[in-house]
Amino acid sequence: MNHIRQKIAVLGMTILFGATPAVVYAATPSKQTDFQEYFQQGVQKLEQGNFSAAIADFDKVVQQNPKFYEGFCLRGLAKSQIGDLPAAITDFNQALQLNPNHVDAYNSRGTAHAQLGNLQKAIADFNTTLKIDPQSVDAYYNRGLAYFKQKNTQAAIADFNQAISLNPQLADAYGNRGLAKYTLGDQRSAIADLQQAATLFRQQGDTASYQQTQTLIQQVQR
């Protein structure tokens, strides 16, 4: 289940959440029903962008089952969406304490660290994500953004290359790779990447990002 797409920084940092894990419920049947309802409501509100209401539902989820790591992870995501990054990181920490191999929690915590400017911590979390899941498109892309912010441009391009290899439809990766190439003085290749990003954004119906990328192309061509 893809709960939400989050975009931040340069052209965007994407987080995709995977399927909800199976849970062993330690509750009475009625409590279990309440638990499932609150969780599903929280997921729905998260997808709708009603983040405060989602947090309230996930509060009830983790109160009823304090070992349900996905509840903490999704509550952390909702908190990050309203800008409460320290609280989000606390929830991601709790999720990882319960499940040290939770890829989404590492990736999401890394994004929160990046938003707070803690790039080394962010990169460390993305590194761990890739150790657990070497095929994580999001971890390569997010680490590429972190490297780009560190001005480690070659490392950023290498990660964007990996992200594109795993997902050739990831428009943001083309766009940010183009910007990285432009900083190295490779204008022609930069424009090609930005044009590819614009094409994908248009095909995917992302009008705002398409227009933003067109503006960047005009600036790079000057």
PDB file of all heavy atoms in Angstrom, residues 100-134:
ATOM      1  N   PRO A 100      14.102  -3.678  14.030  1.00  0.00           N
ATOM      2  CA  PRO A 100      15.362  -3.084  13.566  1.00  0.00           C
ATOM      3  C   PRO A 100      15.592  -3.187  12.065  1.00  0.00           C
ATOM      4  O   PRO A 100      16.549  -2.593  11.551  1.00  0.00           O
ATOM      5  CB  PRO A 100      16.424  -3.878  14.338  1.00  0.00           C
ATOM      6  CG  PRO A 100      15.699  -4.461  15.506  1.00  0.00           C
ATOM      7  CD  PRO A 100      14.312  -4.739  15.015  1.00  0.00           C
ATOM      8  N   ASN A 101      14.742  -3.932  11.351  1.00  0.00           N
ATOM      9  CA  ASN A 101      14.907  -4.079   9.899  1.00  0.00           C
ATOM     10  C   ASN A 101      13.801  -3.369   9.122  1.00  0.00           C
ATOM     11  O   ASN A 101      13.558  -3.690   7.962  1.00  0.00           O
ATOM     12  CB  ASN A 101      14.922  -5.566   9.528  1.00  0.00           C
ATOM     13  CG  ASN A 101      16.161  -6.263  10.035  1.00  0.00           C
ATOM     14  OD1 ASN A 101      17.271  -5.742   9.907  1.00  0.00           O
ATOM     15  ND2 ASN A 101      15.988  -7.434  10.630  1.00  0.00           N
ATOM     16  N   HIS A 102      13.163  -2.402   9.747  1.00  0.00           N
ATOM     17  CA  HIS A 102      12.052  -1.692   9.104  1.00  0.00           C
ATOM     18  C   HIS A 102      12.612  -0.663   8.114  1.00  0.00           C
ATOM     19  O   HIS A 102      13.024   0.431   8.496  1.00  0.00           O
ATOM     20  CB  HIS A 102      11.197  -1.003  10.167  1.00  0.00           C
ATOM     21  CG  HIS A 102       9.843  -0.597   9.687  1.00  0.00           C
ATOM     22  ND1 HIS A 102       9.631   0.048   8.490  1.00  0.00           N
ATOM     23  CD2 HIS A 102       8.608  -0.751  10.236  1.00  0.00           C
ATOM     24  CE1 HIS A 102       8.351   0.292   8.334  1.00  0.00           C
ATOM     25  NE2 HIS A 102       7.694  -0.185   9.381  1.00  0.00           N
ATOM     26  N   VAL A 103      12.615  -1.030   6.849  1.00  0.00           N
ATOM     27  CA  VAL A 103      13.205  -0.198   5.804  1.00  0.00           C
ATOM     28  C   VAL A 103      12.549   1.185   5.755  1.00  0.00           C
ATOM     29  O   VAL A 103      13.236   2.208   5.659  1.00  0.00           O
ATOM     30  CB  VAL A 103      13.092  -0.901   4.435  1.00  0.00           C
ATOM     31  CG1 VAL A 103      13.497   0.037   3.306  1.00  0.00           C
ATOM     32  CG2 VAL A 103      13.964  -2.153   4.407  1.00  0.00           C
ATOM     33  N   ASP A 104      11.224   1.219   5.802  1.00  0.00           N
ATOM     34  CA  ASP A 104      10.523   2.500   5.684  1.00  0.00           C
ATOM     35  C   ASP A 104      10.880   3.444   6.823  1.00  0.00           C
ATOM     36  O   ASP A 104      10.977   4.658   6.627  1.00  0.00           O
ATOM     37  CB  ASP A 104       9.014   2.272   5.676  1.00  0.00           C
ATOM     38  CG  ASP A 104       8.539   1.534   4.433  1.00  0.00           C
ATOM     39  OD1 ASP A 104       9.205   1.671   3.391  1.00  0.00           O
ATOM     40  OD2 ASP A 104       7.524   0.840   4.504  1.00  0.00           O
ATOM     41  N   ALA A 105      11.060   2.901   8.029  1.00  0.00           N
ATOM     42  CA  ALA A 105      11.390   3.752   9.174  1.00  0.00           C
ATOM     43  C   ALA A 105      12.773   4.365   9.014  1.00  0.00           C
ATOM     44  O   ALA A 105      12.983   5.539   9.327  1.00  0.00           O
ATOM     45  CB  ALA A 105      11.294   2.955  10.471  1.00  0.00           C
ATOM     46  N   TYR A 106      13.739   3.576   8.542  1.00  0.00           N
ATOM     47  CA  TYR A 106      15.076   4.135   8.296  1.00  0.00           C
ATOM     48  C   TYR A 106      15.024   5.213   7.217  1.00  0.00           C
ATOM     49  O   TYR A 106      15.597   6.303   7.368  1.00  0.00           O
ATOM     50  CB  TYR A 106      16.049   3.038   7.844  1.00  0.00           C
ATOM     51  CG  TYR A 106      16.609   2.208   8.961  1.00  0.00           C
ATOM     52  CD1 TYR A 106      16.308   0.860   9.077  1.00  0.00           C
ATOM     53  CD2 TYR A 106      17.471   2.763   9.912  1.00  0.00           C
ATOM     54  CE1 TYR A 106      16.827   0.074  10.106  1.00  0.00           C
ATOM     55  CE2 TYR A 106      18.002   2.000  10.944  1.00  0.00           C
ATOM     56  CZ  TYR A 106      17.665   0.656  11.036  1.00  0.00           C
ATOM     57  OH  TYR A 106      18.179  -0.106  12.052  1.00  0.00           O
ATOM     58  N   ASN A 107      14.325   4.912   6.133  1.00  0.00           N
ATOM     59  CA  ASN A 107      14.266   5.861   5.028  1.00  0.00           C
ATOM     60  C   ASN A 107      13.554   7.145   5.450  1.00  0.00           C
ATOM     61  O   ASN A 107      13.984   8.255   5.132  1.00  0.00           O
ATOM     62  CB  ASN A 107      13.558   5.218   3.840  1.00  0.00           C
ATOM     63  CG  ASN A 107      13.724   6.006   2.565  1.00  0.00           C
ATOM     64  OD1 ASN A 107      14.828   6.395   2.204  1.00  0.00           O
ATOM     65  ND2 ASN A 107      12.628   6.250   1.881  1.00  0.00           N
ATOM     66  N   SER A 108      12.465   6.995   6.203  1.00  0.00           N
ATOM     67  CA  SER A 108      11.701   8.161   6.648  1.00  0.00           C
ATOM     68  C   SER A 108      12.483   8.980   7.676  1.00  0.00           C
ATOM     69  O   SER A 108      12.454  10.210   7.651  1.00  0.00           O
ATOM     70  CB  SER A 108      10.369   7.709   7.251  1.00  0.00           C
ATOM     71  OG  SER A 108       9.607   7.022   6.292  1.00  0.00           O
ATOM     72  N   ARG A 109      13.181   8.286   8.577  1.00  0.00           N
ATOM     73  CA  ARG A 109      13.990   9.008   9.551  1.00  0.00           C
ATOM     74  C   ARG A 109      15.120   9.745   8.851  1.00  0.00           C
ATOM     75  O   ARG A 109      15.459  10.889   9.210  1.00  0.00           O
ATOM     76  CB  ARG A 109      14.553   8.041  10.599  1.00  0.00           C
ATOM     77  CG  ARG A 109      15.214   8.753  11.779  1.00  0.00           C
ATOM     78  CD  ARG A 109      15.666   7.781  12.848  1.00  0.00           C
ATOM     79  NE  ARG A 109      16.797   6.966  12.409  1.00  0.00           N
ATOM     80  CZ  ARG A 109      17.406   6.061  13.179  1.00  0.00           C
ATOM     81  NH1 ARG A 109      16.970   5.837  14.421  1.00  0.00           N
ATOM     82  NH2 ARG A 109      18.422   5.358  12.708  1.00  0.00           N
ATOM     83  N   GLY A 110      15.688   9.120   7.828  1.00  0.00           N
ATOM     84  CA  GLY A 110      16.725   9.800   7.063  1.00  0.00           C
ATOM     85  C   GLY A 110      16.215  11.065   6.409  1.00  0.00           C
ATOM     86  O   GLY A 110      16.893  12.095   6.399  1.00  0.00           O
ATOM     87  N   THR A 111      15.008  11.009   5.885  1.00  0.00           N
ATOM     88  CA  THR A 111      14.417  12.191   5.272  1.00  0.00           C
ATOM     89  C   THR A 111      14.201  13.293   6.302  1.00  0.00           C
ATOM     90  O   THR A 111      14.446  14.476   6.035  1.00  0.00           O
ATOM     91  CB  THR A 111      13.079  11.827   4.610  1.00  0.00           C
ATOM     92  OG1 THR A 111      13.310  10.808   3.637  1.00  0.00           O
ATOM     93  CG2 THR A 111      12.468  13.034   3.929  1.00  0.00           C
ATOM     94  N   ALA A 112      13.727  12.912   7.481  1.00  0.00           N
ATOM     95  CA  ALA A 112      13.525  13.897   8.550  1.00  0.00           C
ATOM     96  C   ALA A 112      14.849  14.532   8.956  1.00  0.00           C
ATOM     97  O   ALA A 112      14.941  15.753   9.141  1.00  0.00           O
ATOM     98  CB  ALA A 112      12.855  13.237   9.747  1.00  0.00           C
ATOM     99  N   HIS A 113      15.895  13.721   9.085  1.00  0.00           N
ATOM    100  CA  HIS A 113      17.217  14.267   9.403  1.00  0.00           C
ATOM    101  C   HIS A 113      17.676  15.239   8.312  1.00  0.00           C
ATOM    102  O   HIS A 113      18.239  16.312   8.611  1.00  0.00           O
ATOM    103  CB  HIS A 113      18.245  13.134   9.555  1.00  0.00           C
ATOM    104  CG  HIS A 113      18.167  12.392  10.853  1.00  0.00           C
ATOM    105  ND1 HIS A 113      18.103  13.035  12.074  1.00  0.00           N
ATOM    106  CD2 HIS A 113      18.170  11.059  11.123  1.00  0.00           C
ATOM    107  CE1 HIS A 113      18.071  12.128  13.044  1.00  0.00           C
ATOM    108  NE2 HIS A 113      18.097  10.934  12.500  1.00  0.00           N
ATOM    109  N   ALA A 114      17.426  14.871   7.051  1.00  0.00           N
ATOM    110  CA  ALA A 114      17.829  15.746   5.941  1.00  0.00           C
ATOM    111  C   ALA A 114      17.094  17.073   6.009  1.00  0.00           C
ATOM    112  O   ALA A 114      17.680  18.141   5.788  1.00  0.00           O
ATOM    113  CB  ALA A 114      17.564  15.049   4.611  1.00  0.00           C
ATOM    114  N   GLN A 115      15.817  17.033   6.339  1.00  0.00           N
ATOM    115  CA  GLN A 115      15.037  18.264   6.431  1.00  0.00           C
ATOM    116  C   GLN A 115      15.536  19.153   7.570  1.00  0.00           C
ATOM    117  O   GLN A 115      15.443  20.380   7.491  1.00  0.00           O
ATOM    118  CB  GLN A 115      13.561  17.937   6.646  1.00  0.00           C
ATOM    119  CG  GLN A 115      12.875  17.381   5.410  1.00  0.00           C
ATOM    120  CD  GLN A 115      11.433  17.014   5.685  1.00  0.00           C
ATOM    121  OE1 GLN A 115      11.134  16.012   6.321  1.00  0.00           O
ATOM    122  NE2 GLN A 115      10.523  17.836   5.208  1.00  0.00           N
ATOM    123  N   LEU A 116      16.073  18.527   8.598  1.00  0.00           N
ATOM    124  CA  LEU A 116      16.629  19.278   9.724  1.00  0.00           C
ATOM    125  C   LEU A 116      18.072  19.723   9.469  1.00  0.00           C
ATOM    126  O   LEU A 116      18.656  20.424  10.288  1.00  0.00           O
ATOM    127  CB  LEU A 116      16.572  18.435  11.001  1.00  0.00           C
ATOM    128  CG  LEU A 116      15.171  18.219  11.599  1.00  0.00           C
ATOM    129  CD1 LEU A 116      15.222  17.167  12.699  1.00  0.00           C
ATOM    130  CD2 LEU A 116      14.610  19.529  12.140  1.00  0.00           C
ATOM    131  N   GLY A 117      18.636  19.319   8.329  1.00  0.00           N
ATOM    132  CA  GLY A 117      20.001  19.694   7.992  1.00  0.00           C
ATOM    133  C   GLY A 117      21.048  18.756   8.535  1.00  0.00           C
ATOM    134  O   GLY A 117      22.253  19.023   8.390  1.00  0.00           O
ATOM    135  N   ASN A 118      20.632  17.637   9.129  1.00  0.00           N
ATOM    136  CA  ASN A 118      21.583  16.653   9.669  1.00  0.00           C
ATOM    137  C   ASN A 118      21.918  15.635   8.585  1.00  0.00           C
ATOM    138  O   ASN A 118      21.449  14.484   8.601  1.00  0.00           O
ATOM    139  CB  ASN A 118      20.981  15.965  10.898  1.00  0.00           C
ATOM    140  CG  ASN A 118      20.678  16.934  12.012  1.00  0.00           C
ATOM    141  OD1 ASN A 118      21.396  17.903  12.217  1.00  0.00           O
ATOM    142  ND2 ASN A 118      19.582  16.696  12.732  1.00  0.00           N
ATOM    143  N   LEU A 119      22.734  16.068   7.628  1.00  0.00           N
ATOM    144  CA  LEU A 119      22.949  15.261   6.427  1.00  0.00           C
ATOM    145  C   LEU A 119      23.727  13.978   6.704  1.00  0.00           C
ATOM    146  O   LEU A 119      23.458  12.945   6.073  1.00  0.00           O
ATOM    147  CB  LEU A 119      23.663  16.093   5.362  1.00  0.00           C
ATOM    148  CG  LEU A 119      22.871  17.306   4.858  1.00  0.00           C
ATOM    149  CD1 LEU A 119      23.668  18.066   3.817  1.00  0.00           C
ATOM    150  CD2 LEU A 119      21.524  16.875   4.278  1.00  0.00           C
ATOM    151  N   GLN A 120      24.669  14.015   7.644  1.00  0.00           N
ATOM    152  CA  GLN A 120      25.420  12.800   7.936  1.00  0.00           C
ATOM    153  C   GLN A 120      24.511  11.735   8.532  1.00  0.00           C
ATOM    154  O   GLN A 120      24.610  10.553   8.192  1.00  0.00           O
ATOM    155  CB  GLN A 120      26.591  13.100   8.879  1.00  0.00           C
ATOM    156  CG  GLN A 120      27.769  13.779   8.202  1.00  0.00           C
ATOM    157  CD  GLN A 120      28.316  12.958   7.030  1.00  0.00           C
ATOM    158  OE1 GLN A 120      28.295  13.406   5.879  1.00  0.00           O
ATOM    159  NE2 GLN A 120      28.797  11.760   7.317  1.00  0.00           N
ATOM    160  N   LYS A 121      23.627  12.138   9.435  1.00  0.00           N
ATOM    161  CA  LYS A 121      22.680  11.185   9.999  1.00  0.00           C
ATOM    162  C   LYS A 121      21.740  10.671   8.914  1.00  0.00           C
ATOM    163  O   LYS A 121      21.376   9.480   8.900  1.00  0.00           O
ATOM    164  CB  LYS A 121      21.884  11.842  11.125  1.00  0.00           C
ATOM    165  CG  LYS A 121      22.679  12.084  12.399  1.00  0.00           C
ATOM    166  CD  LYS A 121      21.782  12.657  13.491  1.00  0.00           C
ATOM    167  CE  LYS A 121      22.556  12.843  14.785  1.00  0.00           C
ATOM    168  NZ  LYS A 121      21.698  13.395  15.866  1.00  0.00           N
ATOM    169  N   ALA A 122      21.337  11.556   8.024  1.00  0.00           N
ATOM    170  CA  ALA A 122      20.456  11.148   6.927  1.00  0.00           C
ATOM    171  C   ALA A 122      21.134  10.100   6.056  1.00  0.00           C
ATOM    172  O   ALA A 122      20.549   9.053   5.747  1.00  0.00           O
ATOM    173  CB  ALA A 122      20.066  12.361   6.094  1.00  0.00           C
ATOM    174  N   ILE A 123      22.368  10.370   5.675  1.00  0.00           N
ATOM    175  CA  ILE A 123      23.103   9.435   4.812  1.00  0.00           C
ATOM    176  C   ILE A 123      23.293   8.102   5.520  1.00  0.00           C
ATOM    177  O   ILE A 123      23.173   7.033   4.903  1.00  0.00           O
ATOM    178  CB  ILE A 123      24.449  10.055   4.387  1.00  0.00           C
ATOM    179  CG1 ILE A 123      24.197  11.203   3.393  1.00  0.00           C
ATOM    180  CG2 ILE A 123      25.363   9.002   3.759  1.00  0.00           C
ATOM    181  CD1 ILE A 123      25.409  12.055   3.114  1.00  0.00           C
ATOM    182  N   ALA A 124      23.574   8.138   6.807  1.00  0.00           N
ATOM    183  CA  ALA A 124      23.732   6.892   7.565  1.00  0.00           C
ATOM    184  C   ALA A 124      22.448   6.061   7.522  1.00  0.00           C
ATOM    185  O   ALA A 124      22.492   4.824   7.358  1.00  0.00           O
ATOM    186  CB  ALA A 124      24.123   7.194   9.007  1.00  0.00           C
ATOM    187  N   ASP A 125      21.300   6.723   7.644  1.00  0.00           N
ATOM    188  CA  ASP A 125      20.030   5.993   7.577  1.00  0.00           C
ATOM    189  C   ASP A 125      19.776   5.436   6.180  1.00  0.00           C
ATOM    190  O   ASP A 125      19.290   4.308   6.035  1.00  0.00           O
ATOM    191  CB  ASP A 125      18.870   6.902   7.992  1.00  0.00           C
ATOM    192  CG  ASP A 125      18.673   6.943   9.502  1.00  0.00           C
ATOM    193  OD1 ASP A 125      19.169   6.043  10.198  1.00  0.00           O
ATOM    194  OD2 ASP A 125      18.016   7.887   9.989  1.00  0.00           O
ATOM    195  N   PHE A 126      20.112   6.196   5.155  1.00  0.00           N
ATOM    196  CA  PHE A 126      19.928   5.691   3.793  1.00  0.00           C
ATOM    197  C   PHE A 126      20.896   4.535   3.519  1.00  0.00           C
ATOM    198  O   PHE A 126      20.536   3.578   2.818  1.00  0.00           O
ATOM    199  CB  PHE A 126      20.116   6.810   2.767  1.00  0.00           C
ATOM    200  CG  PHE A 126      19.143   7.945   2.937  1.00  0.00           C
ATOM    201  CD1 PHE A 126      19.548   9.261   2.779  1.00  0.00           C
ATOM    202  CD2 PHE A 126      17.817   7.704   3.254  1.00  0.00           C
ATOM    203  CE1 PHE A 126      18.662  10.314   2.938  1.00  0.00           C
ATOM    204  CE2 PHE A 126      16.911   8.749   3.417  1.00  0.00           C
ATOM    205  CZ  PHE A 126      17.337  10.057   3.255  1.00  0.00           C
ATOM    206  N   ASN A 127      22.111   4.606   4.073  1.00  0.00           N
ATOM    207  CA  ASN A 127      23.051   3.488   3.940  1.00  0.00           C
ATOM    208  C   ASN A 127      22.474   2.220   4.557  1.00  0.00           C
ATOM    209  O   ASN A 127      22.570   1.123   3.971  1.00  0.00           O
ATOM    210  CB  ASN A 127      24.383   3.824   4.615  1.00  0.00           C
ATOM    211  CG  ASN A 127      25.197   4.854   3.866  1.00  0.00           C
ATOM    212  OD1 ASN A 127      24.940   5.123   2.689  1.00  0.00           O
ATOM    213  ND2 ASN A 127      26.172   5.446   4.524  1.00  0.00           N
ATOM    214  N   THR A 128      21.876   2.366   5.734  1.00  0.00           N
ATOM    215  CA  THR A 128      21.289   1.207   6.402  1.00  0.00           C
ATOM    216  C   THR A 128      20.120   0.666   5.602  1.00  0.00           C
ATOM    217  O   THR A 128      19.935  -0.557   5.473  1.00  0.00           O
ATOM    218  CB  THR A 128      20.825   1.574   7.821  1.00  0.00           C
ATOM    219  OG1 THR A 128      21.940   2.084   8.562  1.00  0.00           O
ATOM    220  CG2 THR A 128      20.266   0.358   8.543  1.00  0.00           C
ATOM    221  N   THR A 129      19.318   1.565   5.046  1.00  0.00           N
ATOM    222  CA  THR A 129      18.205   1.133   4.199  1.00  0.00           C
ATOM    223  C   THR A 129      18.711   0.249   3.068  1.00  0.00           C
ATOM    224  O   THR A 129      18.133  -0.810   2.776  1.00  0.00           O
ATOM    225  CB  THR A 129      17.470   2.344   3.610  1.00  0.00           C
ATOM    226  OG1 THR A 129      17.004   3.180   4.669  1.00  0.00           O
ATOM    227  CG2 THR A 129      16.286   1.917   2.760  1.00  0.00           C
ATOM    228  N   LEU A 130      19.799   0.667   2.442  1.00  0.00           N
ATOM    229  CA  LEU A 130      20.330  -0.077   1.294  1.00  0.00           C
ATOM    230  C   LEU A 130      20.986  -1.390   1.704  1.00  0.00           C
ATOM    231  O   LEU A 130      21.022  -2.335   0.915  1.00  0.00           O
ATOM    232  CB  LEU A 130      21.313   0.797   0.521  1.00  0.00           C
ATOM    233  CG  LEU A 130      20.636   1.931  -0.262  1.00  0.00           C
ATOM    234  CD1 LEU A 130      21.658   2.948  -0.743  1.00  0.00           C
ATOM    235  CD2 LEU A 130      19.854   1.356  -1.445  1.00  0.00           C
ATOM    236  N   LYS A 131      21.494  -1.469   2.924  1.00  0.00           N
ATOM    237  CA  LYS A 131      22.017  -2.746   3.414  1.00  0.00           C
ATOM    238  C   LYS A 131      20.891  -3.760   3.565  1.00  0.00           C
ATOM    239  O   LYS A 131      21.058  -4.939   3.276  1.00  0.00           O
ATOM    240  CB  LYS A 131      22.730  -2.549   4.750  1.00  0.00           C
ATOM    241  CG  LYS A 131      24.078  -1.864   4.650  1.00  0.00           C
ATOM    242  CD  LYS A 131      24.720  -1.707   6.018  1.00  0.00           C
ATOM    243  CE  LYS A 131      26.050  -0.978   5.916  1.00  0.00           C
ATOM    244  NZ  LYS A 131      26.683  -0.775   7.254  1.00  0.00           N
ATOM    245  N   ILE A 132      19.738  -3.271   4.034  1.00  0.00           N
ATOM    246  CA  ILE A 132      18.590  -4.159   4.218  1.00  0.00           C
ATOM    247  C   ILE A 132      17.913  -4.450   2.883  1.00  0.00           C
ATOM    248  O   ILE A 132      17.516  -5.583   2.604  1.00  0.00           O
ATOM    249  CB  ILE A 132      17.585  -3.527   5.193  1.00  0.00           C
ATOM    250  CG1 ILE A 132      18.238  -3.305   6.562  1.00  0.00           C
ATOM    251  CG2 ILE A 132      16.343  -4.418   5.358  1.00  0.00           C
ATOM    252  CD1 ILE A 132      17.397  -2.470   7.511  1.00  0.00           C
ATOM    253  N   ASP A 133      17.793  -3.430   2.052  1.00  0.00           N
ATOM    254  CA  ASP A 133      17.127  -3.563   0.753  1.00  0.00           C
ATOM    255  C   ASP A 133      17.978  -2.902  -0.326  1.00  0.00           C
ATOM    256  O   ASP A 133      17.804  -1.710  -0.612  1.00  0.00           O
ATOM    257  CB  ASP A 133      15.738  -2.929   0.806  1.00  0.00           C
ATOM    258  CG  ASP A 133      15.008  -3.029  -0.535  1.00  0.00           C
ATOM    259  OD1 ASP A 133      15.492  -3.763  -1.426  1.00  0.00           O
ATOM    260  OD2 ASP A 133      13.946  -2.391  -0.687  1.00  0.00           O
ATOM    261  N   PRO A 134      18.889  -3.657  -0.954  1.00  0.00           N
ATOM    262  CA  PRO A 134      19.779  -3.081  -1.965  1.00  0.00           C
ATOM    263  C   PRO A 134      19.051  -2.576  -3.214  1.00  0.00           C
ATOM    264  O   PRO A 134      19.669  -1.913  -4.043  1.00  0.00           O
ATOM    265  CB  PRO A 134      20.712  -4.252  -2.325  1.00  0.00           C
ATOM    266  CG  PRO A 134      20.615  -5.196  -1.173  1.00  0.00           C
ATOM    267  CD  PRO A 134      19.203  -5.063  -0.680  1.00  0.00           C
TER     268      PRO A 134
END
